[in-house]
């Protein structure tokens, strides 16, 4: 009876289950600081002196530069084929039609930031892998260890590629003496630098 007298006619016939499901608004969410990697930290990672024979760490340095320059998600980066990278135009084809795993299957052509020292790191790795692998191989290619030697593999990446990238970046940060930051922090750093 109270409901019928208090509310306008259009609300009087609402089922009680709907009314019972109403909840008060949540408290006001406090703003929090977004963490991101800085250009200085990426420079430290990419200028770290490593042995030329250590293909895995060379790849990881190029990955740090590419993640910062592109702002790509780790899932897309880990499945990015060589043919999707066009450094002469500073573009990346994040296209599911090229088997790039993007969020919600969206297709986009994105652009690299113009940071010459990081572009140089990316260009050196890109030139090296293009002489070793087919265009369909991964840009962040698997590295095979046999009898103390490392070689690149054209095999498809495993299902847990994001975890592998994070583990390898953790090792790179440790080698550089820096606190670890996840691959997503490179995405945040890209956006902050671009702004």
């Amino acid at each position: 009876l109270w409901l019928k007298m208090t509310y306008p006619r259009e609300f009087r016939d609402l089922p009680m289950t709907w009314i019972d499901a109403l909840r008060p608004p949540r408290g006001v969410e406090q703003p929090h600081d977004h963490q991101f990697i800085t250009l200085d930290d990426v420079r430290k990672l990419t200028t770290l002196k490593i042995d030329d024979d250590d293909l895995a760490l060379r790849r990881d340095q190029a990955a740090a530069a590419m993640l910062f320059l592109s702002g790509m998600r780790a899932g897309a980066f880990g499945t990015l084929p060589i043919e999707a990278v066009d450094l002469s135009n500073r573009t990346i084809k994040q296209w599911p039609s090229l088997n790039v795993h993007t969020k919600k299957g969206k297709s986009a052509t994105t652009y690299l930031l113009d940071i010459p020292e990081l572009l140089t790191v990316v260009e050196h790795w890109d030139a090296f892998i293009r002489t070793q692998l087919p265009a369909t191989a991964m840009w962040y290619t698997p590295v095979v260890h046999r009898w103390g030697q490392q070689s690149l593999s054209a095999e498809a990446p495993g299902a847990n590629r994001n975890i592998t990238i994070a583990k390898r970046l953790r090792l790179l940060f440790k080698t550089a003496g820096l606190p670890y930051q996840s691959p997503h922090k490179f995405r945040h750093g890209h956006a902050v630098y671009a702004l």
Side-chain angles (χ1 to χ4, degrees):
L1 180 63
W2 173 83
L3 183 66
K4 290 186 184 242
M5 292 177 8
T6 310
Y7 288 97
R9 179 169 299 284
E10 59 268 16
F11 292 115
R12 290 182 191 168
D13 296 326
L14 290 174
M16 287 304 291
T17 55
W18 182 84
I19 294 169
D20 289 340
L22 292 175
R23 299 282 179 260
R26 291 188 208 164
V28 175
E29 184 177 319
Q30 295 297 318
H32 58 280
D33 292 331
H34 287 284
Q35 294 182 349
F36 58 91
I37 189 165
T38 64
L39 177 57
D40 286 340
D41 284 344
V42 179
R43 283 181 179 135
K44 288 175 187 170
L45 294 172
T46 58
T47 58
L48 182 67
K49 297 292 181 204
I50 57 169
D51 187 20
D52 285 343
D53 293 337
D54 194 340
L55 297 179
L57 267 180
R58 284 177 55 198
R59 176 201 58 193
D60 299 337
Q61 283 183 312
M66 180 66 98
L67 286 168
F68 190 84
L69 290 171
S70 68
M72 271 188 286
R73 295 178 187 278
F77 177 67
T79 57
L80 187 74
I82 295 169
E83 65 187 331
V85 178
D86 180 1
L87 294 181
S88 60
N89 293 309
R90 290 202 339 252
T91 59
I92 305 293
K93 296 173 186 167
Q94 295 188 53
W95 298 355
S97 62
L98 293 176
N99 296 318
V100 180
H101 298 181
T102 60
K103 187 174 182 178
K104 297 182 181 179
K106 291 183 180 177
S107 183
T109 300
T110 56
Y111 300 88
L112 301 177
L113 295 172
D114 187 13
I115 306 173
E117 64 266 35
L118 297 187
L119 284 169
T120 299
V121 174
V122 168
E123 287 164 355
H124 281 101
W125 179 253
D126 188 77
F128 175 68
I129 60 174
R130 284 179 190 273
T131 64
Q132 308 285 318
L133 298 168
T136 55
M138 297 298 102
W139 199 87
Y140 186 81
T141 183
V143 175
V144 178
H145 301 264
R146 283 197 185 103
W147 303 101
Q149 301 291 322
Q150 293 183 7
S151 61
L152 304 178
S153 171
E155 296 294 319
N160 298 318
R161 194 67 167 160
N162 295 0
I163 295 169
T164 301
I165 292 169
K167 283 182 180 178
R168 291 299 308 181
L169 284 177
R170 188 178 299 278
L171 177 63
L172 184 63
F173 274 95
K174 183 178 178 182
T175 305
L178 294 171
Y180 172 70
Q181 296 196 56
S182 71
H184 203 72
K185 299 301 186 285
F186 286 82
R187 184 171 169 79
H188 289 213
H190 168 89
V192 169
Y193 182 87
L195 288 172

